[in-house]
Amino acid sequence: MSKCAIVTGGAGGIGLGIAKALAKEGCNIVIADIRADEDVHKVISGLESLGGKAHYIKSNVACPKDREKLIKEAVERFGRIDILVNNAGVAPKVRMDLLETTEESFDFVMDINLKGTFFLSQLAARQMISQENIELPRIINISSVSADTSSINRGEYCISKAAASMVTMLFADRLAEEGIRVFEIRPGVIKTDMTAVVTEKYDKMIAEGLTPIKRWGYPEDIGGIVASLCRKEFDFCTGNVINVDGGFHIRRL
């Protein structure tokens, strides 16, 4: 039986890069996103052309009912859940100095980036544990270099990603005995629609040495790592943080 992989925020950007990589591995893909159905039709067709089947579920991971619907419908559609990729995430709607950040902005970011990741992982783990003969189950959290890099004009985002790192560690610890491996990927500067507005800024920073590897990252860079982590070669690992950032994390003099 083909594996079933849920990718939140999978209709574009990093999430779509991940979904494509898993589809090429033969997985059935469930895309969870908040986009309108008509916007995702081509995405689903494209994924199915790579192998396996694909299904779209409109859902907001910040909403408890949507999280429950996502798990239930994925199981109804494909009979199982083998992989959960918590990729859905948001930045503050407006960047503000740390001393001006509002509770509304803080809650908006935390509800999706942290609360959604925690409680969807909980639901998916319960489902995985209940399944018979599950092979190489995985939960993979897409974090950010902001998990340990300060940006004082979007502090709520940095805090959400740092907290998501602890979510990875906690679930890795708890689920090891259940055979479920949990990983965290920290992307760096990745070329997506979200970063399109700062292309010129990052072009300049990369050229000036922001990262040892002097290029943008791409969604397929993340997708390839996710696909690798879902293979048996990584079954003696859990709780690992994988930086996919062109070497940004290296402290240099």
Side-chain angles (χ1 to χ4, degrees), residues 59-181:
S59 57
N60 180 351
V61 297
C63 175
K65 289 184 178 179
D66 280 11
R67 294 193 296 264
E68 292 171 2
K69 180 187 75 172
L70 173 57
I71 297 299
K72 182 174 183 291
E73 193 170 328
V75 174
E76 288 175 350
R77 186 77 174 192
F78 295 120
R80 59 194 298 109
I81 296 170
D82 301 271
I83 299 164
L84 169 64
V85 183
N86 286 304
N87 168 75
V90 294
K93 294 178 182 178
V94 178
R95 291 191 177 199
M96 289 178 278
D97 181 85
L98 204 62
L99 302 184
E100 305 297 330
T101 301
T102 64
E103 287 193 38
E104 180 183 11
S105 180
F106 190 93
D107 290 344
F108 168 68
V109 173
M110 288 293 177
D111 281 351
I112 294 173
N113 295 5
L114 177 59
K115 191 174 179 180
T117 292
F118 183 96
F119 286 104
L120 188 57
S121 295
Q122 184 186 76
L123 289 173
R126 289 173 179 169
Q127 172 61 34
M128 291 175 183
I129 291 168
S130 74
Q131 294 169 186
E132 294 183 2
N133 301 319
I134 188 168
E135 184 181 356
L136 305 176
R138 299 286 190 262
I139 295 175
I140 299 175
N141 298 322
I142 307 303
S143 177
S144 167
V145 293
S146 293
D148 62 0
T149 301
S150 172
S151 295
I152 59 174
N153 63 347
R154 53 177 189 143
E156 61 271 62
Y157 181 80
C158 297
I159 293 168
S160 73
K161 294 302 185 178
S165 292
M166 179 53 72
V167 171
T168 298
M169 187 182 299
L170 289 166
F171 276 88
D173 186 8
R174 172 61 181 85
L175 298 177
E177 66 185 52
E178 307 290 353
I180 301 170
R181 306 295 178 248

Side-chain angles (χ1 to χ4, degrees), residues 225-241:
I225 298 298
V226 171
S228 296
L229 291 173
C230 293
R231 299 182 190 131
K232 65 181 180 179
E233 287 85 354
F234 286 89
D235 206 44
F236 194 54
C237 305
T238 196
N240 304 70
V241 176

Side-chain angles (χ1 to χ4, degrees), residues 20-36:
K20 287 179 177 178
L22 291 174
K24 290 176 182 177
E25 294 285 311
C27 293
N28 294 323
I29 307 295
V30 174
I31 294 293
D33 212 300
I34 60 172
R35 306 187 191 206

